[in-house]
Amino acid sequence: VYFNGANQGNTTADDDGNWSFDLAEKPEAVHDITATARDVAGNTSAPSDALTVTIDSGPPSAPVITGFSTDTGVVGDRITSDNTLTVVGTAEANSTVSVFFNGVFQGTTTASGNSTWTFDAVPQADGVYAITATARDVAGNSSAPSNALVITIDHTAPGAPTITGFSTDTGTVGDSITSDNTLTISGTAESGSTVAVSFNNVVQGSVLTAVNGLWTFNAAQKPAGVYTITATAQDLAGNTT
């Protein structure tokens, strides 16, 4: 038996013509294996056709998760209203990539010849997810897990804001009649949400809700008239009331 033309040793064919040969450990490489036979009279055959094998005993590098889509709301904050994520990354070319959400197996995809891969996840419930991946090369070696990409899925609209009052309410306090034409509107909404304030359904501007859920909006000067003041909120994931 020969590896790349180098004699590895001999074995004897049984009565049915079958033989096996146990090789010493070989380095990772592509090897052409051939054999010759010598009969009991000492005649030697031509070499067999080569069997080309690749030995790859080392694990591939851990995959890299490079991003996900769609990152709604503020791009880059990893908070999204999309609960059917597409996860992308890199791994050893042609390896099989397994994707996990919080350690739970979601499925596999195959890295392309240029080492990129894409995985479409099934719908997920609202929550925080640590996304990881492993790679298994064509020889069956498995990598260590990738670093985690931590994302938050929130596809539930926030509760409607509450307008708690305005200032200054001149004259009789509480009658909602005022001589102040530069009103300050105050209210509550989901912490971190962006509140858009409208007068008679015309958006006047927006303000960020504080961590304690309070917001205040200073309206531009208005002419005398009757105004219906409303507000909507958009959370960090981009969901709107």
Side-chain angles (χ1 to χ4, degrees):
V1 177
Y2 301 83
F3 261 48
N4 297 333
N7 191 327
Q8 304 297 304
N10 303 315
T11 189
T12 301
D14 63 21
D15 290 342
D16 295 322
N18 300 313
W19 58 269
S20 63
F21 182 78
D22 294 326
L23 284 159
E25 183 176 342
K26 293 297 177 184
E28 292 189 354
V30 177
H31 299 275
D32 287 331
I33 306 173
T34 56
T36 59
R38 188 177 68 250
D39 62 22
V40 293
N43 303 299
T44 301
S45 73
S48 67
D49 291 335
L51 173 68
T52 301
V53 299
T54 301
I55 296 177
D56 175 8
S57 59
S61 299
V64 175
I65 298 175
T66 56
F68 72 98
S69 62
T70 302
D71 187 357
T72 62
V74 179
V75 175
D77 67 357
R78 298 180 181 176
I79 301 173
T80 180
S81 63
D82 184 358
N83 67 342
T84 55
L85 299 182
T86 297
V87 184
V88 296
T90 59
E92 182 176 304
N94 303 312
S95 63
T96 299
V97 177
S98 298
V99 179
F100 302 83
F101 279 36
N102 290 343
V104 178
F105 175 72
Q106 302 297 309
T108 62
T109 187
T110 301
S112 67
N114 64 5
S115 299
T116 60
W117 55 268
T118 300
F119 178 78
D120 294 322
V122 300
Q124 305 290 326
D126 285 5
V128 178
Y129 294 92
I131 305 174
T132 55
T134 59
R136 187 178 71 250
D137 64 22
V138 293
N141 304 300
S142 293
S143 75
S146 68
N147 291 330
L149 174 69
V150 179
I151 61 98
T152 299
I153 295 176
D154 174 11
H155 71 293
T156 302
T162 298
I163 298 175
T164 56
F166 72 95
S167 62
T168 304
D169 187 358
T170 61
T172 302
V173 176
D175 65 358
S176 297
I177 301 173
T178 181
S179 63
D180 184 359
N181 65 349
T182 55
L183 299 181
T184 297
I185 315 300
S186 56
T188 61
E190 182 178 303
S191 174
S193 64
T194 299
V195 174
V197 178
S198 299
F199 280 37
N200 293 343
N201 294 320
V202 178
V203 175
Q204 304 298 303
S206 62
V207 65
L208 185 66
T209 305
V211 293
N212 61 3
L214 301 178
W215 57 268
T216 300
F217 178 77
N218 296 316
Q221 188 176 44
K222 295 295 176 187
V226 178
Y227 294 93
T228 299
I229 304 172
T230 56
T232 59
Q234 184 180 77
D235 65 19
L236 293 173
N239 303 298
T240 302
T241 61

